[in-house]
Amino acid sequence: MSPTETARRNHHDLFPGQLPALAVTDPELVEVFNNFAFDEVLSHGRLDARTRLMVQLASLIASQGMREYRALLGAALTVGVTPVEVKELVYQAVPYVGMGKVSDFLHATNDILKEFGVELPVPGQSTTTPKDRAEKGLAIQKEIIGAESIDGMRAAAASDEMHIQDYLAGNCFGDYLTRTGIDVPRRELLTLSMLISLGGCEPQVRGHVLANLNVGNSRGLMLDVITQLLPYIGYPRTLNALRILNEVAPAHEDQ
């Protein structure tokens, strides 16, 4: 199978003057993958290049795809994803993926940003203080997830578990989702991408499909995201995500 002209062109736009790293040792696989990822899959949907690369980077952090992450981060910077946006998507991975997995990606991100001549640290994006993080976090948690759902979840929590509910409000949402640099609808796409890519998070995927709908992201947009993740996460996790999307937001509702 030869590379298609579209695959060649799209690859060149992301990696100007660079051949795929495995083109010499594994040319057949590279041709199959590139024709699929950079032609067939890219022909579907309406995601702009910046959003597509951001959700793919978030997915690669969750699935621990360091080599592909490093390659796509360079591509993201090439097409105009800003250093602040890059840092924000990495920071946002911490409450969903955990620092144990994110730390290596943060160091890799810093290395690549320096290669691109970016001065670190980038401008800060925090909007909370230790005094108001819990209040602001609970407010945006209710905005994204739904006030009724959050009130119900907190009311149903056992007394010895309330600290976890408080952590969700103050830390997960207050420390991270209140930050500027990336707007809330795009942050929800990043969250959904991470949860899909982690695997085993179907209840959370379901919740964040609903959250995406709450912040204005349509079924069609989420389907576009799932489609663009497919080459990097494989079919099982893709089909699991599609099943949940169809249960929560059936196709006829979006049409």
Side-chain angles (χ1 to χ4, degrees):
M1 179 185 295
S2 300
T4 67
E5 181 57 35
T6 300
R8 288 179 186 271
R9 183 175 64 252
N10 287 333
H11 189 277
H12 174 76
D13 289 344
L14 297 177
F15 310 100
Q18 300 178 43
L19 289 175
L22 298 175
V24 175
T25 57
D26 303 272
E28 289 183 329
L29 177 60
V30 167
E31 289 175 5
V32 169
F33 180 82
N34 281 9
N35 284 346
F36 182 59
F38 296 111
D39 184 350
E40 193 170 357
V41 171
L42 281 191
S43 69
H44 177 89
R46 300 155 291 176
L47 290 185
D48 61 274
R50 293 174 67 256
T51 301
R52 182 183 77 244
L53 285 161
M54 288 174 71
V55 298
Q56 288 172 337
L57 288 170
S59 168
L60 288 166
I61 295 173
S63 58
Q64 296 291 277
M66 175 64 80
R67 189 180 291 271
E68 287 297 318
Y69 175 86
R70 294 181 68 96
L72 287 189
L73 177 52
L77 293 166
T78 296
V79 302
V81 177
T82 69
V84 166
E85 289 172 327
V86 169
K87 277 301 187 78
E88 287 303 309
L89 75 86
V90 179
Y91 291 177
Q92 189 173 325
V94 174
Y96 295 101
V97 181
M99 183 58 90
K101 293 182 176 180
V102 175
S103 178
D104 287 343
F105 287 85
L106 184 55
H107 285 286
T109 298
N110 289 339
D111 291 341
I112 293 171
L113 288 175
K114 289 176 183 177
E115 291 174 8
F116 274 74
V118 176
E119 184 176 349
L120 299 176
V122 299
Q125 303 296 313
S126 177
T127 66
T128 62
T129 68
K131 291 184 177 181
D132 65 14
R133 62 193 278 271
E135 178 185 356
K136 289 185 175 180
L138 183 59
I140 198 167
Q141 186 183 21
K142 290 183 176 182
E143 175 188 336
I144 293 172
I145 306 298
E148 185 176 345
S149 294
I150 297 304
D151 288 341
M153 187 168 62
R154 292 179 67 87
S159 59
D160 62 351
E161 298 174 5
M162 275 306 299
H163 62 291
I164 303 296
Q165 296 299 321
D166 292 338
Y167 294 164
L168 279 168
N171 178 241
C172 184
F173 286 86
D175 289 339
Y176 295 97
L177 273 296
T178 58
R179 295 174 64 84
T180 52
I182 300 176
D183 63 24
V184 169
R186 186 168 289 178
R187 283 187 183 276
E188 264 308 300
L189 292 178
L190 297 176
T191 298
L192 183 64
S193 300
M194 294 176 202
L195 293 172
I196 290 169
S197 304
L198 279 168
C201 297
E202 282 71 23
Q204 289 76 25
V205 172
R206 179 184 300 277
H208 282 274
V209 168
L210 284 168
N212 270 276
L213 294 172
N214 288 343
V215 300
N217 293 331
S218 68
R219 167 194 160 88
L221 181 57
M222 287 185 274
L223 180 57
D224 288 349
V225 168
I226 293 170
T227 302
Q228 297 307 319
L229 298 185
L230 169 56
Y232 299 97
I233 65 173
Y235 284 94
R237 291 180 181 180
T238 298
L239 293 175
N240 287 344
L242 186 59
R243 174 177 57 82
I244 294 170
L245 179 66
N246 286 333
E247 291 173 357
V248 177
H252 65 84
E253 291 185 7
D254 195 50
Q255 295 166 357

